[in-house]
Amino acid sequence: MDLSQDHADAPDWGSAVRVDYDLKTGEVLQSVVKSDRLEGSWESSLLVRCTGGRVQVQGNPSKWGRLEAVGRGCASVLEGVEVYNRVLADVGLPLFYVGERARIPGADGQGVRLEPQCPRIQWVHIAANVRLGSATAVGPYFDWLALQRIGKRGQALRSVGPLSVRAGTRRRRQVAIYSKAEEVLEELARWRRKRCCPEQDAVVTYLEALADRLKVEGWVRREVRLSGDYLVTKALQWVDAWSEETMFCEWQEYGVVTSEGVTVCDWKTEVFDRLLARGLGERAARQRVETLLAWMGGVEVGPGEGRSRATFYRIAAELREVAGVDIRSRPNVVTLGSRVQRIARPVDARIATVADVEALYAGLGDLSRAA
């Protein structure tokens, strides 16, 4: 979240002040207080500043001061405000508060408007972790997501990386779904670049083990990111407009429903497994899969190039049996689309539970000193 609130007696506070002068007249053009980064644990940090009586905090309250990054976070915006207030109290700044809306008379003496007495939200991210149960399900799951549509307008999820998709706009509303293991690996790379950090070795070892477990169990992060224009349109720019129900409804409204099982098509893994079950060896099965993928890409895979006609027809027969496609003819997108379900398989994409998180972190070690 990014929260801010005005206080009459709040002092300027931050990491530094940048002052711009007019060199000819000596006049001060502007003075900007930069945010100070406060570290809460190996992965959590908050940006805090106060300027002109306005207190502002940015960051992820769900991770603040915690030794793990996958567990249950704040269940409501107000819980996040409580986390921020503990940080503000430690640095001696005024706390965020939620009071009754003030009744302000109109300029002409007619009518009354209610002025919110609470923090203003610049942006808020609502997230959940999805557990697929297997590392082999992650790639096909993102391939499946790339074919889905979200929202009332049916927006496509565009790929922004091998295991990451997004939809929407940053200024209004956006969905981001990405591999949790990849996020931890990015954090691991940041810690490896540190110099003269006494806890570096402990954190690196911890993150390596955590990333391996997240990858093996197929953990995926889903986020709904709500920003300024959207919050104003929905009258959600003030903290007192939020409840646990509001947060859940906003998270549920925009995006692919990932809490239920989905069916994905993994040509490479599924066909390979079916060929092994048919009695082929791993090398032969891998060659058949490469032939299938080349044919799907429009490459000529007929007899020749060291392959006899008899061998080609034998491979074609095996692939017809296990995949339902005929490599003797040219690939047809309509035919492929109608035959996809023959090799589709279910993936249990469910929201991670507390028990899942406890099992994930069991035996990973203690990072209390590093935190």
Side-chain angles (χ1 to χ4, degrees):
M1 293 191 302
D2 181 348
L3 299 185
S4 62
Q5 189 171 18
D6 293 333
H7 297 268
D9 56 347
D12 285 349
W13 193 93
S15 62
V17 177
R18 190 189 72 199
V19 181
D20 294 339
Y21 292 92
D22 187 318
L23 293 179
K24 295 180 179 179
T25 65
E27 178 186 2
V28 177
L29 300 178
Q30 65 175 352
S31 176
V32 179
V33 177
K34 295 185 177 181
S35 299
D36 191 12
R37 181 179 295 276
L38 305 181
E39 301 287 345
S41 67
W42 62 266
E43 201 206 20
S44 64
S45 63
L46 298 177
L47 295 175
V48 182
R49 73 168 178 170
C50 182
T51 178
R54 174 167 297 178
V55 177
Q56 183 178 18
V57 183
Q58 299 177 358
N60 188 346
S62 295
K63 293 182 180 179
W64 177 255
R66 299 178 65 161
L67 302 182
E68 46 84 6
V70 186
R72 177 186 177 276
C74 298
S76 69
V77 169
L78 290 178
E79 282 192 23
V81 173
E82 292 176 1
V83 173
Y84 284 178
N85 277 342
R86 290 197 294 269
V87 176
L88 293 175
D90 289 340
V91 298
L93 289 175
L95 308 184
F96 293 131
Y97 68 93
V98 179
E100 296 291 334
R101 294 202 170 197
R103 300 174 63 87
I104 308 297
D108 55 357
Q110 301 294 325
V112 175
R113 61 183 176 89
L114 296 179
E115 182 73 20
Q117 302 295 311
C118 63
R120 185 184 181 97
I121 305 175
Q122 304 299 325
W123 50 259
V124 59
H125 296 177
I126 309 169
N129 292 305
V130 179
R131 186 177 182 275
L132 303 179
S134 169
T136 59
V138 177
Y141 179 68
F142 278 95
D143 292 340
W144 174 81
L145 284 173
L147 302 175
Q148 306 309 305
R149 297 292 185 270
I150 63 172
K152 296 180 180 178
R153 297 183 179 180
Q155 293 176 290
L157 284 153
R158 65 185 185 278
S159 296
V160 293
L163 298 176
S164 179
V165 295
R166 291 181 192 172
T169 60
R170 294 182 61 183
R171 292 189 60 184
R172 290 187 58 81
R173 189 167 59 167
Q174 187 179 65
V175 169
I177 307 174
Y178 53 89
S179 166
K180 189 65 182 176
E182 295 300 316
E183 182 191 31
V184 173
L185 288 175
E186 291 178 4
E187 188 68 24
L188 175 60
R190 186 178 71 87
W191 273 89
R192 281 176 170 161
R193 290 193 298 268
K194 288 193 172 185
R195 298 290 185 269
C196 302
C197 183
E199 66 269 20
Q200 182 181 24
D201 291 342
V203 175
V204 167
T205 302
Y206 179 88
L207 292 182
E208 286 176 341
L210 177 59
D212 287 342
R213 292 192 181 189
L214 290 169
K215 184 176 181 180
V216 168
E217 298 181 11
W219 286 71
V220 173
R221 182 81 162 179
R222 174 189 165 188
E223 294 181 358
V224 176
R225 302 169 178 176
L226 310 178
S227 300
D229 292 349
Y230 177 81
L231 294 173
V232 172
T233 301
K234 295 289 293 287
L236 294 174
Q237 71 270 39
W238 303 105
V239 164
D240 64 356
W242 286 79
S243 65
E244 289 189 25
E245 182 180 357
T246 305
M247 189 163 70
F248 177 78
C249 290
E250 290 295 326
W251 183 83
Q252 190 82 354
E253 177 185 348
Y254 189 61
V256 180
V257 179
T258 58
S259 58
E260 300 176 358
V262 298
T263 301
V264 300
C265 178
D266 180 7
W267 292 91
K268 188 174 182 180
T269 305
E270 189 67 15
V271 172
F272 180 77
D273 292 341
R274 292 190 181 194
L275 288 169
L276 291 181
R278 193 179 184 276
L280 271 72
E282 290 190 9
R283 181 178 178 182
R286 192 171 294 109
Q287 290 175 344
R288 269 53 167 182
V289 171
E290 291 175 355
T291 299
L292 173 62
L293 296 178
W295 173 81
M296 293 173 66
V299 178
E300 178 61 44
V301 296
E305 300 295 334
R307 177 183 292 163
S308 68
R309 184 175 296 274
T311 300
F312 170 73
Y313 280 109
R314 184 175 68 254
I315 293 174
E318 293 166 349
L319 291 176
R320 281 200 308 273
E321 179 182 335
V322 301
V325 296
D326 191 348
I327 64 172
R328 295 175 301 176
S329 59
R330 291 184 178 182
N332 183 291
V333 292
V334 176
T335 303
L336 285 175
S338 64
R339 297 177 185 272
V340 160
Q341 294 303 320
R342 291 197 57 178
I343 62 170
R345 57 191 176 88
V347 170
D348 182 21
R350 60 180 178 82
I351 302 300
T353 64
V354 175
D356 292 329
V357 176
E358 291 176 350
L360 177 70
Y361 283 95
L364 268 185
D366 183 14
L367 262 189
S368 57
R369 288 181 298 174

